[in-house]
């Protein structure tokens, strides 16, 4: 658009210059002084030619060569009443007086070298080279207007491009926090937005990487400290048992009980470590999926998976809708999901309220909702929700979904798995 506007302006400027130049030349040509001066000069050249070439009545045809040399002169020579010849070689066959009156051009006396007097009908024109000069001037002015206007129109864009170039150099030096300038609504703006989006993506990845490294460092530090305490106690009790430094059977059983407690504490810590790397690390092994009917899955879930919860004194309520088809699951990883939920139940679940399991199939998806109440604690610890994130990771690997929410003391999780097969 900028180029088109500049081109139109350049053509118009060239046309104006040519019009002004042509008007000026015709104005000069029509002025009396210019015409008179040109005519006098032409007659002087004619007399000089006659004198130099000794043109007489006998060789008067030499005047034709002079007429041909004078490119910007129209001339017709007359002797008595007959037209001798003209610059355009058109003879006048009619009466001389009629020809002169009809043309409306003045005629002048010309004396040949032998004294013979002839008449010359003479008109001078503007030099044709002047028109070429006007054309050149018009093209030159039009080109200058085109270039200057185009530069003026794109100068803002050129400055914007230079600014983007400087900002790219800043980004290339490593300062990814420097913002890109977004201005306008064209291809260059789209390029700047793309660079800004790419920069933000790199920043986000770098931030996630830094957070992951920080979390790994904190985890290693915390785990090394947490593992050292129970491991030291476990080694101490085992040393006492090995050296039989106990007084009676009751003390030995006490030592064994402490060892068992410390061993389970270490197991819980190692499980937490596994959960962390399952969420933030790479998959430890390939999944081995197998088809399991929805009825079998819910029967196992309601009858045996939460046995520990019932042993702890909690009750279980199951509401199962019409089930059909099968789900593709890895039993080991699905068991880890249940173990995580059971671990959370033992920590936070209130046994005074029943654990509710609701299952149904909607739109070829098995929805399992497990809901319970959170018991009140005097000094509640802030949860990292690493176990819930582990469950979410595993369910996503099953092409399913996992979500949780809490409203007051009510806490619920929902598992979703795609169902294969036809509804019966």
């Amino acid at each position: 658009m900028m180029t088109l506007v500049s081109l139109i302006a350049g053509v118009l400027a060239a046309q104006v210059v040519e019009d002004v130049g042509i008007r000026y030349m015709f104005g000069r040509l029509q002025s009396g002084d210019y015409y008179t001066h040109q005519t006098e000069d032409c007659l002087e050249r004619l007399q000089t030619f006659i004198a130099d070439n000794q043109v007489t009545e006998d060789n008067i045809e030499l005047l034709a060569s002079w007429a041909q040399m004078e490119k910007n002169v129209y001339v017709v020579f007359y002797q008595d009443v007959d037209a001798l010849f003209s610059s355009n070689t058109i003879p006048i066959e009619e009466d001389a007086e009629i020809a002169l009156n009809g043309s409306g051009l003045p005629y002048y006396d010309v004396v040949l070298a032998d004294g013979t007097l002839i008449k010359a009908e003479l008109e001078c024109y503007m030099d044709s080279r002047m028109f070429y000069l006007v054309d050149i001037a018009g093209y030159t002015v039009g080109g200058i207007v085109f270039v200057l206007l185009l530069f003026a129109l794109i100068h803002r864009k050129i400055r914007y491009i230079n600014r983007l170039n400087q900002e790219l150099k800043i980004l290339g030096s490593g300062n990814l926090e420097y913002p890109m300038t977004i201005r306008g609504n064209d291809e260059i703006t789209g390029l700047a937005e793309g660079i800004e989006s790419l920069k933000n993506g790199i920043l986000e990845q770098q931030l996630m990487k830094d957070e992951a490294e920080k979390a790994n460092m904190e985890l290693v530090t915390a785990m090394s400290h947490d593992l050292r305490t129970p491991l030291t106690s476990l080694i101490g009790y085992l040393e006492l048992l090995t050296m039989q430094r106990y007084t009676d059977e009751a003390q030995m059983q006490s030592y064994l009980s402490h060892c068992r407690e410390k061993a389970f504490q270490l197991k819980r810590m190692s499980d937490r470590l596994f959960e962390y790397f399952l969420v933030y690390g790479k998959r430890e092994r390939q999944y081995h999926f197998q088809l399991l009917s929805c009825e079998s899955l819910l029967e196992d879930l309601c009858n045996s998976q939460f046995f520990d919860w019932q042993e702890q004194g909690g009750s279980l309520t199951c509401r199962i809708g019409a089930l059909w088809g099968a789900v593709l699951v890895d039993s080991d990883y699905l068991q880890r999901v249940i173990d995580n939920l059971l671990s959370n139940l033992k920590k936070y679940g209130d046994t005074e309220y029943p654990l509710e399991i609701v299952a149904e199939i909607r739109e070829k998806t098995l929805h399992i909702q497990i809901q319970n109440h959170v018991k009140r604690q005097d000094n509640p610890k802030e949860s990292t929700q690493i176990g819930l994130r582990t469950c979410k990771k595993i369910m996503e690997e099953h092409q399913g979904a996992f979500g949780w929410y809490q409203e007051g003391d009510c806490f619920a999780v929902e598992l979703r798995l795609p169902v294969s097969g036809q509804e019966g």
Side-chain angles (χ1 to χ4, degrees):
M1 182 62 67
M2 294 178 181
T3 304
L4 180 61
V5 170
S6 302
L7 182 60
I8 293 175
V11 171
L12 292 177
Q15 188 66 40
V16 169
V17 170
E18 290 184 4
D19 290 343
V20 172
I22 291 175
R23 288 177 182 273
Y24 172 75
M25 287 191 300
F26 277 107
R28 284 194 60 190
L29 184 62
Q30 292 174 358
S31 65
D33 294 341
Y34 179 83
Y35 183 80
T36 302
H37 179 70
Q38 290 292 99
T39 302
E40 291 176 353
D41 289 344
C42 185
L43 291 173
E44 185 178 349
R45 291 195 301 272
L46 176 59
Q47 288 297 151
T48 302
F49 178 83
I50 292 173
D52 293 342
N53 294 275
Q54 292 297 307
V55 179
T56 63
E57 189 177 357
D58 296 332
N59 60 354
I60 197 171
E61 64 274 6
L62 292 176
L63 294 178
S65 60
W66 179 85
Q68 292 177 354
M69 290 187 299
E70 296 289 334
K71 300 296 183 182
N72 301 311
V73 175
Y74 173 80
V75 61
V76 179
F77 296 99
Y78 301 94
Q79 184 180 26
D80 295 331
V81 295
D82 297 324
L84 297 178
F85 47 84
S86 66
S87 60
N88 56 1
T89 67
I90 299 176
I92 297 179
E93 298 177 356
E94 299 180 358
D95 183 79
E97 294 296 330
I98 297 175
L100 292 177
N101 293 335
S103 66
L105 298 178
Y107 58 93
Y108 305 92
D109 293 335
V110 178
V111 180
L112 299 181
D114 58 358
T116 303
L117 180 66
I118 63 174
K119 299 290 184 180
E121 184 184 20
L122 187 66
E123 183 177 12
C124 296
Y125 298 101
M126 182 74 69
D127 192 348
S128 59
R129 290 175 296 179
M130 297 298 294
F131 292 94
Y132 294 129
L133 293 177
V134 170
D135 289 337
I136 293 174
Y139 295 146
T140 302
V141 172
I144 293 174
V145 170
F146 169 75
V147 173
L148 292 180
L149 183 58
L150 181 62
F151 180 77
L153 291 175
I154 68 174
H155 181 60
R156 181 180 177 85
K157 290 298 177 184
I158 294 176
R159 287 193 305 171
Y160 185 34
I161 293 173
N162 291 332
R163 183 179 182 86
L164 292 180
N165 184 39
Q166 295 298 324
E167 291 174 350
L168 282 175
K169 291 180 180 179
I170 295 175
L171 295 179
S173 65
N175 185 11
L176 296 179
E177 300 289 342
Y178 193 86
M180 296 292 295
T181 302
I182 308 297
R183 182 196 305 162
N185 187 23
D186 55 12
E187 294 84 355
I188 302 176
T189 306
L191 177 62
E193 291 175 347
I195 296 173
E196 179 71 13
S197 177
L198 178 62
K199 182 202 70 172
N200 291 336
I202 295 175
L203 279 176
E204 184 177 355
Q205 291 182 358
Q206 184 175 352
L207 180 60
M208 293 177 61
K209 181 180 178 181
D210 293 341
E211 289 179 351
E213 290 179 354
K214 181 180 179 182
N216 285 334
M217 184 62 66
E218 292 177 352
L219 178 66
V220 171
T221 303
M223 290 300 294
S224 62
H225 178 270
D226 293 344
L227 287 172
R228 187 181 296 112
T229 301
L231 189 58
T232 302
S233 299
L234 179 60
I235 293 173
Y237 285 120
L238 290 175
E239 287 290 340
L240 292 175
L241 290 171
T242 302
M243 293 183 292
Q244 298 181 355
R245 292 186 178 180
Y246 49 85
T247 57
D248 51 21
E249 185 72 17
Q251 191 175 25
M252 183 185 71
Q253 291 298 328
S254 177
Y255 288 167
L256 288 174
S257 177
H258 285 303
C259 289
R260 184 173 181 273
E261 180 183 349
K262 298 302 178 183
F264 277 111
Q265 186 177 354
L266 290 172
K267 180 182 180 300
R268 288 193 297 270
M269 291 181 181
S270 62
D271 289 342
R272 180 187 172 192
L273 186 63
F274 162 76
E275 292 168 355
Y276 178 85
F277 285 107
L278 181 63
V279 174
Y280 296 104
K282 296 182 180 179
R283 186 187 302 174
E284 63 173 10
R285 69 175 179 86
Q286 294 294 326
Y287 281 70
H288 299 287
F289 295 103
Q290 58 182 357
L291 281 174
L292 183 65
S293 67
C294 296
E295 292 181 357
S296 300
L297 176 62
L298 267 299
E299 182 180 357
D300 183 56
L301 190 65
C302 292
N303 294 335
S304 60
Q305 292 294 340
F306 292 97
F307 177 76
D308 289 347
W309 166 256
Q310 293 171 315
E311 284 292 320
Q312 191 176 334
S315 59
L316 191 66
T317 301
C318 294
R319 289 182 294 170
I320 310 300
L323 301 179
W324 52 271
V327 290
L328 197 63
V329 297
D330 185 310
S331 300
D332 293 339
Y333 276 92
L334 190 60
Q335 185 61 48
R336 286 178 179 173
V337 173
I338 302 303
D339 289 343
N340 271 314
L341 297 179
L342 186 58
S343 176
N344 284 335
L345 279 175
K346 290 180 179 180
K347 290 180 183 178
Y348 309 111
D350 191 346
T351 57
E352 294 182 2
Y353 295 90
L355 178 66
E356 298 181 6
I357 299 178
V358 180
E360 60 179 340
I361 295 178
R362 299 195 304 266
E363 298 179 354
K364 291 188 176 183
T365 302
L366 176 61
H367 295 256
I368 303 174
Q369 187 181 65
I370 303 173
Q371 179 176 309
N372 74 308
H373 284 70
V374 180
K375 61 184 178 183
R376 298 183 179 275
Q377 297 178 353
D378 295 334
N379 296 314
K381 295 182 179 180
E382 184 178 355
S383 174
T384 60
Q385 296 185 339
I386 188 68
L388 296 175
R389 281 186 244 173
T390 301
C391 296
K392 185 174 185 296
K393 176 82 171 181
I394 293 175
M395 295 303 297
E396 288 175 351
E397 294 290 348
H398 284 74
Q399 305 302 317
F402 181 88
W404 65 90
Y405 66 90
Q406 183 173 354
E407 293 182 1
D409 292 339
C410 183
F411 181 81
V413 298
E414 183 178 19
L415 293 77
R416 294 190 294 273
L417 288 169
V419 178
S420 59
Q422 297 295 328
E423 183 176 0

